[in-house]
Amino acid sequence: MSLAKFLIKRTLQGIFVVWGVVTITFGLRAIAPGDPVDLIVDPATSPEIRQQVREEMGLDQPLLIQYIEYLQGILVGDLGFSYQSRRDVTTMVIERVPATLELAIAATIVAIVIAIPLGVISATRRHEPSDYGATMFSLVGISTPNFWLGIMLILVLSVQFGLFPVSERPVGFVEAVTVLVTTGYFNDLITWFRHMTLPALTLGTYFTALITRLTRSGMVDELGKPYVTATEAKGLPSVLIRYKHVLRNTMIPIITVLGLQLGTLIGGAVITEWVFDWPGLGTRLINALYAGDWPVIQGVLIFIGIGFVVINIVVDSLYAYLNPRVVDE
Amino acid sequence: MISDRLKSSLKREFDQSLMAKLGLSIALVIILVATFAPILATHHPGQTGHFDEEGSSYPPIGFDYQTHAWEDGDDGRERIPHTVQPTSEHVLGTNNLGQDVYSRMLFGARTSLLVGLIGTGLAAAFGVPFGLVAGYFGGRTDDSMMRVADIMLAFPSLVLAIALIGVFGRSVQYIPDPIVMAGFAEGMPEYAVLPGTVTLVVALVNWVWFARVARGEALAIRNEEYVKAARSLGASNWTVLRKHVLPNSLTPIIVLATIQVAAIILLESSLSYLGFSGTTLSWGYEISQGQDYLRTAWWISTIPGVAIVLAVISINLLGDWLRDALDPNIEGEGGV
Amino acid sequence: MTEDIIRVEGLSTRFFTEQGQVNAVDDLDFRIERGEVFGIVGESGSGKSVTARSLMDLIESPGRITDGEIWFNDAELADSVAEGNEEAVDGDFVDLLSITEQQRTALRGTSFSMIFQDPESSFNPSLTVGEQLAEAVEVQQRASANPRSTKAKTQTADYSFGNYLLSTMLPSQRFVTDESRERAIELLELVGIPDPVERADEYPHEYSGGMLQRAMIAQALAGEPDVLVADEPTTALDVTIQAQILDLLDELQEENGMTILLITHNLGVVARMCDRVGVMYAGEIVERGTLEDVFDDHVHPYTEGLLGSIPDLASAGGRLQPIGGNVPSLLDHEMGDRCHFADRCPKAMDQCLEHPPEYAAAGSDDHTVRCVLAERSYDEQDSLPTGYFDETERPAGDKHEDPDRSAGEPPEERTQPQTTIDEVGGESR
């Protein structure tokens, strides 16, 4: 199978998954308790007006018709209107994407930059203090709920030492960079960085710990393989043995696990946003859930589903790139 | 099911590993604490109003705290260092409502463990048969069943759990507490609280991990000679699944279940932190309560978090022990 | 007389495991002449693979070389080492165990290279064969561009993490250059791989076992080594392929005048390839000498037993004579101070309860043997009663079954059917 064919197959599977997500969220809305009309107009208004609103929203149609219309809407990027604010859901979701994306990317960078060298050091210096330190860190890291970690970071770094602001996102990365490029004004970027630090650390810790753990155990397995000895016998510098040979093969299983753990990253982002009052998809989702605003809930879930599928395709391609045997099978 | 070889492997790994011993000890302490919470508690967990003479929450014994100003004195008030005497009746202080934190931690352990254990049991009960059937029959059956699992994986577990709670509500079940009923603990709540919806929801969210592992095992086992032999002797698929495939796939399922208890405890704490669990007797809820009082009463949020971390670490250590001893091949872990 | 290239004196390699100390290689002496093929033959578990790895400095924890000297004849190296470390130098010889680890590592691939038993697991599955060969070429190129007489660290050791990070973005910083890639293709051609240009871009899983072993030989030749250590080079291959690989090795050895240390359990391979042989048992060389010494004038009953266990066309129809019993545990506390073979020896005598020294034996000057039979003949009168070792020294039956376990690692792979036990700690890493 060629790589292109492989990707096409994955994409078709991805489209199927997105359709499943749409259908399930639609089903959840259909069985959710409560009358949406109550969210739109005062429950005390006259039945005539309520009926009128219901018809305007298309809620009087049979479910199947509503479902088909919803699917048609999605194809043209229309996710309907919020019950609560009457705003266009697509806009409500998309305006929150950059904040979440920034957070997730920053956390992933924190995780990869710290975790992989830490895991390699830990595996190559087994049973030395640095290994025990890394092992303890990763054990505690994967066992700590990240909302609590966030609160503890706030307690120590913000409340006690005043190093970082407690919450919110006054400026986005793109805006800050634009300001820097156009006016040479640095402060926006610094503000962005100060506000980003705690949420990124909070979200990144679990992944740092997880990747450290996976890297260590994968490396230890891999270092025991005969080809490593053979590579040593060639006289190759140890940096190349560790990173070019062993780490590369270690990454193959790690990438699989990370693909599976993507949901955890997104779930972690949702709750991290809530802790830090970060204006991303997560806070939008939780607020919508508190309010029972199903079009918004659906919109966010579908977006997350699409994001999940896209990242998984990227992960699969990376996997195929690292592991030449996959495409052949 | 658990052969002598596995037993000796478990024992050897346990003897060698300090971490396994530590994990088992902490886990046992937490189980005991949760079971005998009404006896060990010093106060009714719901009883409010335990404040000091100035109307502030009590801090944990031995800690300094400031009753008034936390700012650098520009508001004119001075810091008043204040050490609570060891004679205070609130070992871990009281929370913002004046409830005894220590007693609430004990009862909170019950919620976490109940949800963790029952939720894992239910998840395995949904996921294992699903996975075994998919893997055993293979082909089309497998393909279509695993597509369903893929869709489940596209929902982050926390997000799906919240959405399901939005649909099912937040009902709780009250279970009579035999210890209190038998009169061993006067003045303690007579019912233990089980957040039923949350338990169901975490199972609905996490069954897919069991399905994946069970499927992988079934795929491998169905090609074993003894399975082929059983089938050629006319055993029905159902019999083969029950007598051969299930028992032989238990090892990785047990390891996964251990890890899942930890994952579900974390998930439950996240849900109750967000206020979706339906009970207030939960570590996660307690953390959310304290978040507004970080400046004046750090312990309200800190202590329950330490409890969660200890519980989850101990279970993860047990999981590592089982994994090292039984050495199954599990790729996913399932997380928060 | 040709000069020695390697003199091993009193080499001991031990593994420190939970069950106790394992004497995988015990007080070993041998020498290899420049340009010859020296064979070490023995059952699995006799320590031959550990000997090869000790020479290559590839012993890993929990193993360690605890004692002895490995003298390597290299005038240039001797010059560069001599300043500041005179004890490590004796004429043109350098004791590899007394120089720094860095100096030792720099010899790998350039002075010494190694062929491994299982080609399929000895290549990295996710890099092309050409790339892996080119790495070996590059090691040699960089070493020769930077002669060790300058006393500077070889350039390969200078390749740092920083270089590696840069190389992920800048092709110019890559370790392997295009010239090395071209040389790798030449090497593939040299070892008889058809379409070397295309094959260089293939991954190990696209090669057959025999092809891959050829590629491994090419890789070992890339560094133009003085000494090639071949550890069971044909064991994992089909019989027909085995012959081809041996032909290839033979040919290359004749062309380049390379010295080969050949490790094998297969006496047929020894007879075909070697000039001189050492027979190894329980971490010791029990008999060594020229090919004729060992095959025709052997003294040690173990050598006799080994020869008895190969099929011989001349006596077709006769039964093979396997050696009874198992390779002994190499656990220090179980070894005892006797001839290690005594418990399996058909000619064990009272005298064998003491550890025998090396005796000179009939045949060439080189022929020595660690057996009292070199000095006296077998006498029924002195023989040990049958079952003598069953009760006294081996009470706990099956604890000897699996010496590979004692190296703390599971056995990697079983080799030939008749060799049931892995090298201690050898193949398992």
Side-chain angles (χ1 to χ4, degrees):
Chain A
M1 201 192 317
S2 70
L3 193 61
K5 239 173 131 185
F6 179 79
L7 286 180
I8 289 169
K9 191 179 151 203
R10 279 278 179 272
T11 310
L12 289 176
Q13 282 175 355
I15 290 171
F16 174 78
V17 169
V18 170
W19 169 79
V21 168
V22 171
T23 308
I24 288 178
T25 52
F26 187 86
L28 289 177
R29 172 168 80 174
I31 57 172
D35 185 351
V37 177
D38 288 346
L39 286 170
I40 301 163
V41 292
D42 192 316
T45 42
S46 68
E48 292 77 35
I49 296 178
R50 292 173 63 92
Q51 185 56 32
Q52 197 183 336
V53 170
R54 200 180 299 275
E55 280 165 24
E56 270 173 32
M57 301 290 291
L59 292 169
D60 55 337
Q61 303 280 341
L63 270 182
L64 189 64
I65 306 288
Q66 286 189 39
Y67 174 64
I68 290 168
E69 279 175 0
Y70 190 69
L71 281 182
Q72 284 170 339
I74 286 174
L75 290 179
V76 295
D78 175 14
L79 292 165
F81 289 89
S82 158
Y83 292 158
Q84 217 178 8
S85 65
R86 312 305 306 273
R87 289 180 62 206
D88 172 35
V89 172
T90 313
T91 319
M92 285 178 78
V93 171
I94 287 179
E95 70 187 8
R96 292 296 185 96
V97 169
T100 299
L101 218 52
E102 274 172 26
L103 178 58
I105 292 174
T108 310
I109 291 174
V110 168
I112 290 173
V113 167
I114 299 175
I116 289 181
L118 201 60
V120 173
I121 289 169
S122 187
T124 48
R125 298 190 192 155
R126 280 173 83 187
H127 308 305
E128 287 179 31
S130 48
D131 179 25
Y132 290 122
T135 311
M136 279 315 290
F137 160 76
S138 54
L139 177 67
V140 174
I142 59 162
S143 306
T144 305
N146 60 11
F147 62 91
W148 182 69
L149 178 69
I151 293 171
M152 289 299 106
L153 288 176
I154 293 174
L155 176 64
V156 176
L157 298 180
S158 299
V159 174
Q160 203 63 38
F161 295 109
L163 295 177
F164 296 99
V166 174
S167 62
E168 290 175 351
R169 176 177 176 267
V171 59
F173 181 69
V174 177
E175 294 96 85
V177 170
T178 316
V179 169
L180 179 65
V181 171
T182 51
T183 67
Y185 186 64
F186 241 103
N187 285 16
D188 273 11
L189 199 60
I190 293 172
T191 308
W192 174 84
F193 182 78
R194 278 167 46 84
H195 282 264
M196 175 57 86
T197 308
L198 292 189
L201 278 180
T202 301
L203 182 56
T205 299
Y206 175 83
F207 281 89
T208 311
L210 181 71
I211 299 175
T212 305
R213 215 170 133 91
L214 293 171
T215 309
R216 181 188 183 275
S217 62
M219 253 334 242
V220 167
D221 278 359
E222 204 66 28
L223 281 169
K225 293 194 175 163
Y227 79 84
V228 179
T229 313
T231 314
E232 276 173 28
K234 298 204 286 208
L236 206 63
S238 59
V239 170
L240 286 174
I241 298 178
R242 280 177 202 168
Y243 288 90
K244 183 176 171 186
H245 285 261
V246 179
L247 184 63
R248 189 188 168 99
N249 288 329
T250 307
M251 288 316 287
I252 293 169
I254 292 180
I255 282 174
T256 318
V257 177
L258 288 186
L260 287 170
Q261 289 281 327
L262 197 65
T264 315
L265 178 70
I266 297 169
V270 168
I271 203 158
T272 304
E273 286 179 10
W274 189 251
V275 172
F276 289 96
D277 204 4
W278 191 258
L281 288 173
T283 40
R284 180 128 287 169
L285 176 70
I286 293 177
N287 279 321
L289 277 157
Y290 280 136
D293 194 348
W294 275 95
V296 177
I297 300 174
Q298 271 178 299
V300 176
L301 287 181
I302 290 166
F303 244 80
I304 290 176
I306 293 172
F308 180 87
V309 166
V310 169
I311 300 174
N312 257 306
I313 292 174
V314 173
V315 167
D316 280 343
S317 325
L318 199 61
Y319 187 79
Y321 165 74
L322 282 177
N323 190 356
R325 282 164 298 185
V326 172
V327 180
D328 279 345
E329 272 160 17
Chain B
M1 246 161 33
I2 302 288
S3 66
D4 286 346
R5 194 177 59 79
L6 284 186
K7 268 186 211 151
S8 73
S9 164
L10 279 170
K11 168 120 179 34
R12 192 174 56 234
E13 200 61 41
F14 186 78
D15 289 343
Q16 280 172 11
S17 161
L18 177 68
M19 286 297 173
K21 292 180 189 119
L22 192 67
L24 191 66
S25 317
I26 302 175
L28 284 178
V29 167
I30 291 173
I31 291 170
L32 287 176
V33 158
T35 314
F36 298 108
I39 295 175
L40 297 170
T42 52
H43 295 78
H44 187 291
Q47 192 186 351
T48 57
H50 296 290
F51 294 115
D52 64 10
E53 60 277 9
E54 286 155 62
S56 306
S57 303
Y58 287 107
I61 285 177
F63 278 98
D64 289 349
Y65 76 123
Q66 297 96 47
T67 46
H68 297 296
W70 43 268
E71 285 289 41
D72 301 327
D74 18 78
D75 56 357
R77 288 183 293 178
E78 56 179 320
R79 288 159 179 263
I80 307 171
H82 182 127
T83 304
V84 175
Q85 296 309 307
T87 52
S88 163
E89 53 178 328
H90 302 286
V91 187
L92 297 177
T94 56
N95 69 8
N96 52 316
L97 298 174
Q99 295 163 322
D100 183 59
V101 173
Y102 166 72
S103 303
R104 292 181 71 79
M105 287 308 98
L106 301 184
F107 283 93
R110 289 185 151 189
T111 310
S112 285
L113 282 190
L114 279 176
V115 177
L117 295 174
I118 300 176
T120 305
L122 287 175
F126 302 146
V128 171
F130 186 95
L132 288 182
V133 167
Y136 178 71
F137 290 103
R140 283 259 168 90
T141 321
D142 182 33
D143 269 354
S144 46
M145 289 175 88
M146 284 341 264
R147 285 293 90 77
V148 176
D150 281 351
I151 296 171
M152 295 301 294
L153 281 174
F155 289 104
S157 46
L158 178 69
V159 172
L160 182 59
I162 298 172
L164 289 174
I165 288 171
V167 174
F168 295 141
R170 306 166 201 179
S171 75
V172 292
Q173 277 65 44
Y174 295 96
I175 305 166
D177 186 331
I179 296 176
V180 182
M181 290 294 183
F184 287 115
E186 283 298 309
M188 287 295 156
E190 293 186 343
Y191 293 92
V193 185
L194 170 70
T197 318
V198 168
T199 311
L200 189 66
V201 162
V202 294
L204 284 177
V205 165
N206 280 17
W207 65 270
V208 61
W209 299 101
F210 285 94
R212 286 180 66 97
V213 169
R215 167 183 175 265
E217 288 299 306
L219 267 178
I221 292 170
R222 73 174 177 149
N223 290 325
E224 297 279 346
E225 291 303 323
Y226 60 85
V227 171
K228 289 181 185 160
R231 272 154 94 184
S232 65
L233 289 172
S236 70
N237 284 330
W238 166 241
T239 314
V240 173
L241 269 173
R242 199 165 42 93
K243 291 218 166 141
H244 296 287
V245 182
L246 177 64
N248 285 299
S249 53
L250 274 183
T251 308
I253 291 172
I254 288 169
V255 176
L256 176 71
T258 315
I259 305 166
Q260 280 293 316
V261 173
I264 287 182
I265 287 179
L266 282 176
L267 182 57
E268 186 276 335
S269 72
S270 301
L271 289 172
S272 56
Y273 167 75
L274 293 173
F276 288 118
S277 100
T279 172
T280 58
L281 264 185
S282 159
W283 292 337
Y285 181 78
E286 206 69 4
I287 293 174
S288 73
Q289 289 300 292
Q291 197 176 352
D292 292 338
Y293 301 90
L294 287 180
R295 293 177 192 280
T296 51
W298 55 267
W299 56 91
I300 304 176
S301 282
T302 307
I303 290 169
V306 173
I308 297 174
V309 172
L310 279 179
V312 176
I313 283 185
S314 71
I315 297 165
N316 277 330
L317 287 176
L318 291 181
D320 285 351
W321 165 45
L322 292 178
R323 188 194 293 244
D324 290 345
L326 309 177
D327 194 31
N329 191 14
I330 297 183
E331 43 177 21
E333 295 202 8
V336 185
Chain C
M1 190 181 139
T2 45
E3 56 166 358
D4 289 348
I5 187 163
I6 285 177
R7 284 200 318 252
V8 172
E9 290 168 12
L11 179 73
S12 293
T13 303
R14 315 220 182 286
F15 288 81
F16 299 91
T17 71
E18 278 155 26
Q19 287 87 348
Q21 175 186 326
V22 178
N23 300 337
V25 171
D26 194 22
D27 196 15
L28 196 70
D29 296 321
F30 65 90
R31 59 182 190 82
I32 304 175
E33 287 170 13
R34 195 180 286 281
E36 76 168 343
V37 179
F38 183 77
I40 293 185
V41 66
E43 287 169 291
S44 289
S46 60
K48 53 193 196 312
S49 210
V50 177
T51 306
R53 277 155 205 256
S54 300
L55 214 59
M56 294 293 295
D57 191 29
L58 290 173
I59 300 293
E60 277 166 35
S61 175
R64 199 148 41 89
I65 298 176
T66 52
D67 206 6
E69 289 130 43
I70 298 173
W71 294 97
F72 173 55
N73 185 346
D74 184 329
E76 213 181 303
L77 180 66
D79 277 351
S80 73
V81 170
E83 296 168 45
N85 193 1
E86 285 118 33
E87 306 88 70
V89 179
D90 175 14
D92 284 346
F93 282 86
V94 178
D95 177 15
L96 300 182
L97 299 180
S98 308
I99 59 179
T100 63
E101 191 178 340
Q102 212 163 36
Q103 287 169 319
R104 226 168 22 232
T105 310
L107 295 176
R108 279 192 210 147
T110 54
S111 295
F112 292 87
S113 58
M114 186 156 174
I115 304 174
F116 293 85
Q117 172 172 343
D118 180 6
E120 264 141 60
S121 60
S122 299
F123 276 98
N124 183 342
S126 59
L127 292 175
T128 61
V129 173
E131 175 76 12
Q132 297 187 57
L133 256 65
E135 285 178 347
V137 175
E138 191 67 37
V139 169
Q140 157 72 9
Q141 304 269 319
R142 289 184 185 231
S144 57
N146 199 349
R148 41 177 106 89
S149 52
T150 63
K151 258 198 79 183
K153 288 188 286 183
T154 58
Q155 207 178 338
T156 54
D158 282 344
Y159 197 83
S160 67
F161 185 59
N163 292 92
Y164 177 72
L165 277 185
L166 277 177
S167 74
T168 56
M169 284 159 275
L170 302 173
S172 64
Q173 286 291 319
R174 289 212 182 115
F175 182 72
V176 176
T177 56
D178 287 341
E179 295 84 69
S180 300
R181 290 211 167 78
E182 279 160 31
R183 172 78 184 132
I185 291 169
E186 287 173 30
L187 284 166
L188 283 175
E189 196 166 15
L190 181 73
V191 296
I193 289 181
D195 305 325
V197 179
E198 290 81 40
R199 294 299 249 172
D201 286 334
E202 290 183 3
Y203 291 92
H205 71 272
E206 297 170 89
Y207 276 58
S208 68
M211 282 293 164
L212 215 49
Q213 191 61 298
R214 282 173 189 269
M216 179 134 63
I217 292 171
Q219 178 171 283
L221 294 175
E224 293 161 24
D226 301 311
V227 179
L228 176 67
V229 179
D231 184 3
E232 304 268 10
T234 57
T235 306
L237 306 173
D238 289 345
V239 182
T240 46
I241 311 286
Q242 284 189 10
Q244 293 173 13
I245 295 291
L246 291 177
D247 284 341
L248 176 67
L249 274 178
D250 226 6
E251 204 177 292
L252 293 168
Q253 197 253 341
E254 262 165 42
E255 275 170 28
N256 306 343
M258 224 173 7
T259 311
I260 297 183
L261 171 62
L262 183 71
I263 308 286
T264 182
H265 65 271
N266 186 333
L267 283 164
V269 173
V270 171
R272 188 173 178 312
M273 298 287 293
C274 296
D275 301 308
R276 291 188 312 119
V277 193
V279 178
M280 224 173 151
Y281 185 79
E284 295 178 321
I285 288 189
V286 292
E287 179 153 18
R288 65 196 156 96
T290 60
L291 204 55
E292 294 75 32
D293 291 339
V294 170
F295 274 73
D296 303 332
D297 294 332
H298 52 260
V299 175
H300 204 289
Y302 178 65
T303 315
E304 170 102 38
L306 273 186
L307 290 166
S309 62
I310 44 172
D312 183 358
L313 282 180
S315 64
R319 291 187 70 87
L320 292 180
Q321 290 295 318
I323 306 173
N326 279 322
V327 181
S329 148
L330 297 176
L331 281 171
D332 188 54
H333 58 85
E334 289 178 6
M335 278 176 86
D337 192 25
R338 58 168 169 85
C339 171
H340 300 316
F341 187 60
D343 55 338
R344 295 169 73 187
C345 185
K347 297 180 179 173
M349 295 178 287
D350 294 345
Q351 217 179 328
C352 300
L353 296 177
E354 272 171 42
H355 192 244
E358 275 200 315
Y359 298 101
S364 77
D365 293 345
D366 267 349
H367 191 189
T368 64
V369 62
R370 223 176 245 284
C371 180
V372 293
L373 292 175
E375 293 280 285
R376 53 168 294 180
S377 58
Y378 178 61
D379 185 347
E380 292 261 355
Q381 300 247 294
D382 295 340
S383 75
L384 291 166
T386 30
Y388 175 82
F389 291 102
D390 295 350
E391 288 88 44
T392 52
E393 289 194 32
R394 309 196 120 190
D398 66 351
K399 75 179 161 189
H400 301 289
E401 255 176 24
D402 229 357
D404 49 24
R405 290 272 174 221
S406 56
E409 298 273 333
E412 178 73 20
E413 221 163 308
R414 301 285 171 190
T415 50
Q416 293 290 79
Q418 86 255 29
T419 58
T420 49
I421 293 152
D422 283 354
E423 298 280 309
V424 173
E427 276 103 67
S428 59
R429 33 202 66 241

